Amino acid sequence: MLEHDVLIIGAGLAGMRAAIAAQANGANTAIISKVHPVRSHSNAAQGGINAALTDRGDDWEDHAYDTVKGSDFLGDQDAIEVMCKSAGRSLIDMEHMGVTFNRDDEGKLGTRAFGGQRKARTFYVGDFTGQALLHVMFEQLIKSGIRSYEEWFVTGLIQEDGQVCGVTALEIRTGQIYAIRAKTVIFATGGLGRTFEPSTNALIVTGDGMALAYNAGARLMDMEMVQYHPTTLQGSGVLISEAARGEGAYLLDKNGDRFMEKYAPNMMELASRDVVSRAEQTEINAGNGVDGCMFLDCRHLGESLIMEKLSQIREIGIDLIGVDMITDPVPIRPGMHYIMGGIKTDIDGLTNVPGVYAAGECACVSVHGGNRLGANSLLDTIVFGERSGNHAALASRDVDYVEFDVDEVVKKEEERLQGILDRPQNGDRVGAIRLDMGQSLNNNLAVYRNQAGMEETLRDMTGFRERYASVPVDNKGSVFNTDLIFSLELGFMLDCAGAVTVSALDRKDSRGAQARTDFPDRDDENWMKHVVVTKGEVGPEISYLPVSITKWTPEERKY
Amino acid sequence: MDVTVRIRRYDPEVENPESYWQEYPVTMDDSATVLDALIKIREEQDGTLSLRCSCRSSICGSCAMRINGHAGLACKTQASSALTDGNTIVIEPAGVMPVVKDLVVDFSLFWDKIREVVPYLQPQGDEPEAEYIASNESMLHLSSVTACIMCGSCVSDCTVMEVDPTFLGPAALAKAYRFTADPRDGDEKGVSQERLEQLVEPTGMWDCTRCGECVSACPKGVDPMGRIMALRDQAMESGLNNSNGARHAEAFVDIVGHSGSLNEALLPVKTVGITNIPGLMSFLPVGLRALTHGKMPPLIHPNIENVQNVRKLVKKLEDPPLD
């Protein structure tokens, strides 16, 4: 029997950090991931990780205020305090583990400026900080000897009387279904990027954990808050790091003017992401772009700085659209990048479902509120990954495994999956349905939103669900049947897309990433609260939670 | 752009499984990558095609495969630049590692090698309260190695691993160098003696034949072969010159530095050591074969003309630099 005190689903930064913490607390720990840990999407974080180090004359309260303001005052201030206070220690821990952070002239950790922050407190490894951190965390995972189920796909949660007591999982290599018993489960499954098309997110980012938790009764919070990153590449829409602007790059319109002057005269290109993306979209809509794009101009930074600090994004530009940022401005546009919302947790990662935790992008603590600051996501994963690992380990100490009939559970799951494989070979393919869903969301739930558009997507969703119910699977085999997995992932994405749409429709103000043309102002009187979605008898049900305010009174946001 | 994608496929679940070729016609944008083409095939034509892929921006390392015979990332390769015979792109799974299904290979060998080099930082002294102080140059140098995304392209095309799977290989050795070159790893001077002692053993750093395939296969400019050469320098500098590889290098310099050209009969003798009778006996079969095939190098090895110039040159290289 496979059984663990703490079972972590997802092996990105949050998941591996949680696993290492749980193991250190003496728990029988395992981590399970549909890809090998180093393939996880934490790789894609380019620019850096924020921390206010006191020996640099910085102060965690300044970092916390910038984060609260960046969140458009929707972030929970108690949670933000926890994150910003822990940041220094978490950063130094990562350095001690071996991360090769860039240094300053004295050999101490170097910083770069990042959006929405009044001080340069972003620590970085060139322009591949996420990859550098992820690989070092994987080294620590190897060192710890933690059991790692690599390329195992979690198909469902096992629940007895509401208590989660394990998961069913598909070993991708063999097609075998297993039930794994667990006292606690930590979701660290990342975001839901592929629900939108295009998106900067990797193809594996399909909202699995959010959907599994939602279906088990967990609350999804702030799901309307979808971040559009200001600089995604023309065409495929892959990410071009905010580090470029942190190092001093300009955003230009078709006439070569720095249009951010009109929108954020103080912070210019380094205003918070929601502000910059809205500015770009406004300019694009007014015809001041070229082919639906504005320009990121790095030419004045010089070749040597670009080669030292931005070499990988330069290469992406050359590889994908043949533009070298050393010599030419790069055409960019706002693109779906991150979800601030997720599985509602407390500051220890605990959800409302007994035995279930969440950390990282799939969770909503809520430290990002309406808009996440660049370089706060890596921090979020490490701080709350560690906290949930610690807490889950302690919580599993004094409880026994909940018994369930393993053979029965496995048999039922096998039958369910066989049912999918046995569908007739007609109807739309997974790819076609996903594309339609992604485009509908990108049309109606992007930088600017309105009632009519979002209602259209809500209506579309019914159609997508109908088509999904009969989606065929070409591959009938057992070994590495990715075709079957894509169909399961699409189910997860549809649940997530529904939660995003109903939340956005419900919130009738503009705040952070949600900018409604029909409700253009922030309405603190009625909407200074979190929108929460839970699974009801007939569909998603909306409720609200208050925003935690400790020391920063909501005020109008200017950059 | 209309292209034909010719894919080497393999299904382990049929009776007597054997790999076979399948061709797919694809119409796509001129700017599409090879990965775009494969995804299009998978989504629109044939869901049975299995491959790993995720980030689409050369950072997750999932989509390494052989494109027209050479390993690389499908997401980093423009389809238009990969056309052979007019409009065909030839796709095969990565080499060296066994195929699981279609383009999916078994990475166990790859990760076993990585584990073998003890892949985590091992400082010997006390941890400082704050960060370790280190020069930016040293960190930038390491970052050029940690930029490795573990995609396996180098291992796929390694000509030594192809014939000798016990070789640690380019990825693991580059990973090892990432620690031996880290000022935080090892003793207070940053010397990782134990690592180097492990790496000079057979199957380690001296087994690379410097063919250069890993350098051209690497999509991230990590230069694995260059790192292996740097490991050799580190090993020699820290006194580890008693391995076959090290003695081979020293014997090479000795012989050429004395006579001006390589004495192929003397090189193996000096490499294993003149008193190492079992080592010398092991050359006997090769020597006999060389003799019967007329390939025996002459036992008398005259100096070249103006040999004093070569000797001066070698002495100059061995002397410490003036400044």
Side-chain angles (χ1 to χ4, degrees):
Chain A
M1 179 69 211
L2 307 172
E3 58 183 25
H4 303 283
D5 294 338
V6 182
L7 178 65
I8 294 113
I9 309 176
L13 268 176
M16 286 198 282
R17 188 71 194 84
I20 290 161
Q23 166 102 341
N25 279 287
N28 160 6
T29 306
I31 194 161
I32 184 167
S33 170
K34 63 181 176 179
V35 293
H36 184 279
V38 306
R39 314 291 177 221
S40 302
H41 189 56
S42 306
N43 266 326
Q46 296 169 342
I49 173 167
N50 291 329
L53 295 189
T54 44
D55 68 354
R56 311 298 148 88
D58 203 354
D59 184 345
W60 73 262
E61 291 200 17
D62 288 347
H63 179 196
Y65 172 74
D66 287 342
T67 302
V68 169
K69 180 178 170 184
S71 81
D72 215 349
F73 295 89
L74 187 66
D76 283 325
Q77 296 184 9
D78 54 348
I80 291 171
E81 287 190 24
V82 166
M83 180 176 79
C84 296
K85 265 189 216 168
S86 317
R89 189 67 255 157
S90 296
L91 176 80
I92 297 298
D93 284 348
M94 290 301 303
E95 197 276 334
H96 287 171
M97 289 176 193
V99 177
T100 56
F101 286 110
N102 286 50
R103 308 280 160 152
D104 64 15
D105 294 340
E106 296 169 30
K108 297 164 92 174
L109 302 185
T111 54
R112 64 162 46 119
F114 237 60
Q117 303 186 70
R118 295 156 300 158
K119 198 164 175 30
R121 62 169 72 90
T122 303
F123 297 87
Y124 64 102
V125 181
D127 57 354
F128 58 98
T129 315
Q131 186 229 312
L133 264 59
L134 184 74
H135 281 235
V136 167
M137 202 64 91
F138 177 62
E139 294 168 7
Q140 297 298 310
L141 192 79
I142 289 180
K143 187 179 176 184
S144 73
I146 290 168
R147 171 86 191 256
S148 176
Y149 300 91
E150 286 154 13
E151 294 185 327
W152 283 49
F153 185 88
V154 172
T155 58
L157 287 183
I158 303 164
Q159 260 174 312
E160 293 282 332
D161 300 327
Q163 166 83 30
V164 165
C165 46
V167 305
T168 51
L170 172 76
E171 186 184 29
I172 299 173
R173 170 78 183 260
T174 61
Q176 187 94 30
I177 298 281
Y178 292 87
I180 307 176
R181 217 191 294 270
K183 292 179 186 171
T184 56
V185 167
I186 303 178
F187 282 107
T189 48
L192 49 63
R194 300 312 301 172
T195 309
F196 286 67
E197 180 64 36
S199 161
T200 63
N201 286 197
L203 304 178
I204 56 172
V205 186
T206 50
D208 307 4
M210 290 183 207
L212 285 166
Y214 172 75
N215 285 306
R219 296 177 291 195
L220 299 181
M221 188 168 93
D222 296 343
M223 292 298 283
E224 71 278 24
M225 298 304 178
V226 177
Q227 182 165 76
Y228 271 64
H229 193 288
T231 53
T232 71
L233 197 63
Q234 185 174 50
S236 62
V238 305
L239 179 65
I240 299 295
S241 176
E242 187 169 313
R245 282 172 291 137
E247 297 294 345
Y250 301 144
L251 289 172
L252 304 179
D253 64 16
K254 67 177 179 190
N255 303 315
D257 291 329
R258 289 176 71 185
F259 57 90
M260 283 309 297
E261 221 159 22
K262 288 183 267 179
Y263 304 91
N266 298 318
M267 298 288 275
M268 296 291 286
E269 284 86 356
L270 286 178
S272 67
R273 287 180 176 171
D274 58 332
V275 172
V276 179
S277 283
R278 270 194 295 279
E280 284 177 10
Q281 196 61 54
T282 307
E283 294 292 320
I284 291 167
N285 294 350
N288 295 329
V290 175
D291 298 333
C293 284
M294 306 306 281
F295 294 97
L296 179 72
D297 187 3
C298 300
R299 290 172 297 177
H300 57 287
L301 303 180
E303 185 172 348
S304 69
L305 183 143
I306 291 172
M307 292 311 291
E308 180 185 326
K309 296 179 175 175
L310 306 170
S311 63
Q312 302 227 5
I313 52 174
R314 169 181 176 253
E315 197 136 321
I316 287 173
I318 294 171
D319 289 342
L320 297 182
I321 59 166
V323 174
D324 183 348
M325 62 162 64
I326 292 174
T327 52
D328 292 291
V330 183
I332 50 82
R333 57 166 191 233
M336 191 280 170
H337 180 57
Y338 186 87
I339 178 140
M340 276 65 77
I343 306 162
K344 162 65 181 157
T345 73
D346 68 7
I347 55 169
D348 290 311
L350 195 57
T351 72
N352 61 311
V353 179
V356 175
Y357 293 74
E361 189 172 347
C362 73
C364 180
V365 192
S366 142
V367 285
H368 308 304
N371 171 68
R372 175 175 67 76
L373 292 185
N376 264 357
S377 57
L378 288 180
L379 180 60
D380 172 12
T381 62
I382 288 169
V383 170
F384 293 104
E386 183 176 4
R387 290 183 73 95
S388 37
N390 285 338
H391 200 276
L394 298 181
S396 65
R397 259 183 209 174
D398 304 320
V399 295
D400 293 324
Y401 290 104
V402 174
E403 292 298 323
F404 57 84
D405 187 338
V406 172
D407 294 340
E408 179 65 25
V409 166
V410 168
K411 188 165 158 273
K412 263 179 126 173
E413 194 64 354
E414 281 170 351
E415 282 168 5
R416 182 175 77 94
L417 298 189
Q418 194 59 47
I420 296 173
L421 292 175
D422 290 344
R423 281 181 193 150
Q425 286 301 110
N426 48 37
D428 288 333
R429 288 168 179 275
V430 167
I433 303 172
R434 194 202 67 83
L435 187 64
D436 288 347
M437 171 187 67
Q439 287 176 343
S440 177
L441 284 157
N442 195 51
N443 286 339
N444 295 322
L445 285 113
V447 174
Y448 286 111
R449 302 167 172 181
N450 63 56
Q451 188 83 13
M454 292 190 285
E455 278 173 353
E456 180 184 68
T457 293
L458 198 62
R459 280 195 302 277
D460 289 347
M461 290 298 304
T462 313
F464 301 146
R465 288 189 171 286
E466 278 166 17
R467 290 158 70 192
Y468 175 64
S470 59
V471 72
V473 175
D474 285 356
N475 192 345
K476 310 296 183 195
S478 302
V479 177
F480 233 92
N481 187 346
T482 46
D483 208 20
L484 172 64
I485 286 168
F486 297 148
S487 94
L488 297 171
E489 287 175 339
L490 180 58
F492 294 149
M493 286 192 277
L494 285 165
D495 285 340
C496 291
V500 169
T501 311
V502 295
S503 301
L505 267 167
D506 187 72
R507 174 176 286 286
K508 292 186 181 54
D509 81 338
S510 289
R511 177 185 307 267
Q514 160 123 323
R516 290 188 61 149
T517 51
D518 45 356
F519 296 97
D521 297 322
R522 196 174 89 190
D523 174 5
D524 283 355
E525 202 176 312
N526 296 303
W527 290 99
M528 175 59 85
K529 58 186 176 189
H530 297 289
V531 176
V532 175
V533 192
T534 43
K535 187 179 183 178
E537 302 244 319
V538 287
E541 283 173 6
I542 297 280
S543 59
Y544 304 98
L545 280 170
V547 176
S548 151
I549 293 174
T550 56
K551 48 179 87 160
W552 296 282
T553 313
E555 65 198 11
E556 193 192 343
R557 210 160 54 126
K558 283 187 185 144
Y559 284 103
Chain B
M1 181 167 63
D2 293 324
V3 304
T4 301
V5 184
R6 188 172 152 77
I7 303 176
R8 185 186 280 279
R9 300 201 57 187
Y10 176 78
D11 180 355
E13 294 180 82
V14 299
E15 217 174 304
N16 304 321
E18 268 181 49
S19 73
Y20 60 98
W21 291 100
Q22 189 164 357
E23 291 189 354
Y24 299 91
V26 185
T27 302
M28 55 192 184
D29 291 344
D30 289 352
S31 63
T33 62
V34 170
L35 180 62
D36 291 333
L38 293 171
I39 291 174
K40 215 168 150 65
I41 292 167
R42 189 172 76 176
E43 286 197 344
E44 296 172 12
Q45 298 183 38
D46 187 350
T48 68
L49 177 67
S50 295
L51 66 141
R52 294 190 183 99
C53 57
S54 184
C55 74
R56 306 164 297 136
S57 51
S58 335
I59 199 75
C60 77
S62 301
C63 68
M65 55 188 70
R66 282 195 172 140
I67 302 163
N68 301 326
H70 294 281
L73 297 179
C75 73
K76 193 179 159 65
T77 310
Q78 291 282 321
S80 59
S81 73
L83 300 178
T84 55
D85 292 337
N87 76 335
T88 302
I89 304 171
V90 182
I91 302 292
E92 295 166 273
V96 171
M97 296 165 278
V99 177
V100 175
K101 178 176 190 298
D102 297 337
L103 303 174
V104 175
V105 297
D106 180 354
F107 258 69
S108 308
L109 175 81
F110 182 95
W111 295 115
D112 287 347
K113 304 292 177 190
I114 297 289
R115 282 193 170 84
E116 249 183 85
V117 303
V118 197
Y120 43 84
L121 199 70
Q122 291 181 299
Q124 281 166 14
D126 292 335
E127 218 168 55
E129 180 59 25
E131 70 266 46
Y132 287 93
I133 302 298
S135 72
N136 194 40
E137 289 66 38
S138 69
M139 287 297 127
L140 290 179
H141 178 64
L142 291 180
S143 291
S144 69
V145 191
T146 60
C148 168
I149 55 175
M150 306 271 154
C151 66
S153 289
C154 59
V155 165
S156 159
D157 285 13
C158 175
T159 52
V160 177
M161 293 186 91
E162 193 181 2
V163 293
D164 178 12
T166 67
F167 178 41
L168 274 175
L173 285 166
K175 184 82 178 172
Y177 175 76
R178 172 257 164 280
F179 296 107
T180 62
D182 194 319
R184 300 168 294 185
D185 194 83
D187 65 18
E188 72 280 1
K189 289 192 186 114
V191 177
S192 313
Q193 193 69 18
E194 266 180 46
R195 290 185 189 276
L196 291 170
E197 281 169 12
Q198 182 207 346
L199 297 167
V200 296
E201 293 295 313
T203 75
M205 62 171 87
W206 291 104
D207 282 20
C208 167
T209 59
R210 307 178 62 165
C211 71
E213 287 293 332
C214 60
V215 181
S216 54
C218 178
K220 304 300 283 189
V222 170
D223 183 17
M225 188 185 84
R227 313 306 178 177
I228 299 173
M229 296 309 121
L231 276 173
R232 290 179 181 180
D233 287 345
Q234 288 176 337
M236 300 286 269
E237 272 165 32
S238 63
L240 296 171
N241 44 16
N242 198 26
S243 62
N244 278 359
R247 282 195 302 270
H248 180 87
E250 283 183 341
F252 205 102
V253 175
D254 259 8
I255 294 167
V256 176
H258 178 77
S259 66
S261 72
L262 188 63
N263 180 346
E264 288 179 72
L266 193 56
L267 185 66
V269 176
K270 283 193 141 201
T271 298
V272 299
I274 193 86
T275 56
N276 179 357
I277 304 299
L280 289 173
M281 295 296 281
S282 73
F283 288 122
L284 217 56
V286 181
L288 286 173
R289 273 210 307 279
L291 203 63
T292 54
H293 288 77
K295 302 273 186 186
M296 191 68 183
L299 293 174
I300 297 171
H301 184 72
N303 295 345
I304 63 160
E305 232 177 286
N306 300 326
V307 70
Q308 63 278 12
N309 290 342
V310 175
R311 288 178 185 160
K312 271 190 219 159
L313 193 67
V314 170
K315 186 166 184 317
K316 207 163 183 170
L317 287 168
E318 283 177 340
D319 284 346
L322 292 176
D323 46 32

